[in-house]
Amino acid sequence: MNDDPRPIGVFDSGIGGLTTVRELFQCLPGESVVYFGDTARLPWGNKSKDTVTRFSVEIASFLVRQHVKCVVVACNTASSHALDALRERFDVPVIGVIEPAARAAIAASPRGRIGVVGTLATVGSRAYADAITRLAPTAQVQQQACPLFVPLVEEGWLDHPVTRAVAEEYLAELRQARLESLILGCTHYPMLAPLLADLMGPGVTLIDSGAEAARATAQLLAERGQLAPSGAGARAPHHHFFLSDEPRRRSFATVAQSFLGRPLPHVTVVDQTDLPWFERSHHAPPLTGDRP
């Protein structure tokens, strides 16, 4: 019986994880979501494993105090570096993006020709390559770090000549590799999916790591009987988003809403002057539109 109304906790180094939340809304429309974006300390893609693990544990601790029933690590860098530490420390299920995407790529690649694009940290960790070869030892994995994709996406340059030129440079070798699938190993990259699909061609299946994590979460909660109550009398889902710093860019709300695919719910900025984090005595107003 499904009768667990507690929210799903999701975190990322910034707002890219909102693409994963969007997929959770699609897969699990009756579930509430608590999201944490570490906007004060991004990017994580160029930080050490120890630092990423420490940040991840701090944020997961915050989410657990919000009484979540599971934690989705909607960050490829954190999934690469911190997943084992999170699972050892917390009693709630912790779902990363690496293994679900690896399984989807293998299923889409009969000859085992798989590409991965991601941040420097994700590619350098070889987390995807290791997960794929563990599940399919004969697979051939080719990786490419694409560090400029994140700032281009956050600038809103999704269909800009500069972005196309950068993508052509990054993907040059992958386009010659006769790939069957390409894992988008960063939660920002689905925003570039039309461009990447155009450059890679129709024979390459794009694997959205956040979408695969959302599907894995839906399956896990169903298996555990932890889906939110549904039907007559069930409460409507309630979402709450937290950021660790108030964004200063005018375009924040526009970019965030494009990631989420809908208007933002209430957003609270929390202070990092001490742990556990606490809400500011004077809450920032909801970030539902461009700010001055």
Side-chain angles (χ1 to χ4, degrees):
M1 179 178 178
N2 294 312
D3 59 357
D4 192 339
R6 292 178 296 166
I8 297 169
V10 184
F11 78 85
D12 185 33
S13 58
I15 62 172
L18 295 178
T19 60
T20 303
V21 175
R22 179 184 64 199
E23 297 297 334
L24 284 170
F25 286 166
Q26 292 289 329
C27 293
L28 297 166
E31 299 289 340
S32 299
V33 171
V34 177
Y35 179 81
F36 192 104
D38 195 9
T39 47
R41 300 184 294 194
L42 60 78
W44 288 10
N46 57 1
K47 292 180 170 60
S48 69
K49 178 177 181 177
D50 287 346
T51 296
V52 171
T53 299
R54 175 166 59 85
F55 290 176
S56 299
V57 169
E58 290 171 358
I59 294 170
S61 298
F62 177 88
L63 289 173
V64 168
R65 289 196 298 275
Q66 311 307 309
H67 307 294
V68 299
K69 58 187 170 186
C70 67
V71 173
V72 179
V73 184
C75 173
N76 284 264
T77 301
S79 291
S80 302
H81 289 327
L83 202 62
D84 290 342
L86 294 172
R87 286 174 171 167
E88 290 172 6
R89 186 179 182 102
F90 299 103
D91 292 332
V92 298
V94 179
I95 302 99
V97 296
I98 304 291
E99 186 165 321
R103 292 185 181 278
I106 292 167
S109 309
R111 292 179 293 278
R113 296 172 181 157
I114 301 170
V116 180
V117 288
T119 66
L120 289 167
T122 297
V123 169
S125 73
R126 290 192 55 81
Y128 275 110
D130 291 346
I132 291 166
T133 54
R134 185 169 59 251
L135 296 167
T138 61
Q140 305 167 51
V141 183
Q142 188 161 336
Q143 301 189 104
Q144 175 64 52
C146 304
L148 291 178
F149 279 175
V150 169
L152 287 168
V153 168
E154 294 202 348
E155 193 63 34
W157 289 12
L158 306 182
D159 189 26
H160 193 284
V162 169
T163 306
R164 174 171 284 271
V166 168
E168 288 176 345
E169 181 71 21
Y170 281 151
L171 300 181
E173 291 187 14
L174 297 178
R175 294 170 73 185
Q176 302 300 318
R178 299 172 63 197
L179 299 178
E180 297 167 281
S181 64
L182 179 67
I183 295 175
L184 307 184
C186 174
T187 49
H188 283 67
Y189 294 3
M191 302 300 294
L192 297 174
L195 170 60
L196 301 181
D198 181 53
L199 292 177
M200 295 304 298
V204 179
T205 301
L206 300 187
I207 306 296
D208 180 341
S209 58
E212 297 304 327
R215 283 189 274 272
T217 301
Q219 181 178 351
L220 176 69
L221 293 179
E223 291 172 352
R224 292 169 62 94
Q226 288 188 290
L227 293 171
S230 59
R235 288 172 44 184
H238 175 74
H239 311 301
H240 198 146
F241 290 4
F242 295 89
L243 303 177
S244 56
D245 191 22
E246 185 173 347
R248 297 299 179 187
R249 292 174 48 198
R250 291 177 55 86
S251 61
F252 165 77
T254 300
V255 174
Q257 289 178 27
S258 71
F259 281 29
L260 190 61
R262 63 170 73 180
L264 292 176
H266 179 68
V267 178
T268 300
V269 177
V270 295
D271 203 323
Q272 295 187 76
T273 56
D274 196 5
L275 291 177
W277 284 312
F278 55 90
E279 296 182 14
R280 289 177 176 171
S281 56
H282 300 290
H283 291 172
L287 301 174
T288 55
D290 285 347
R291 300 176 60 82

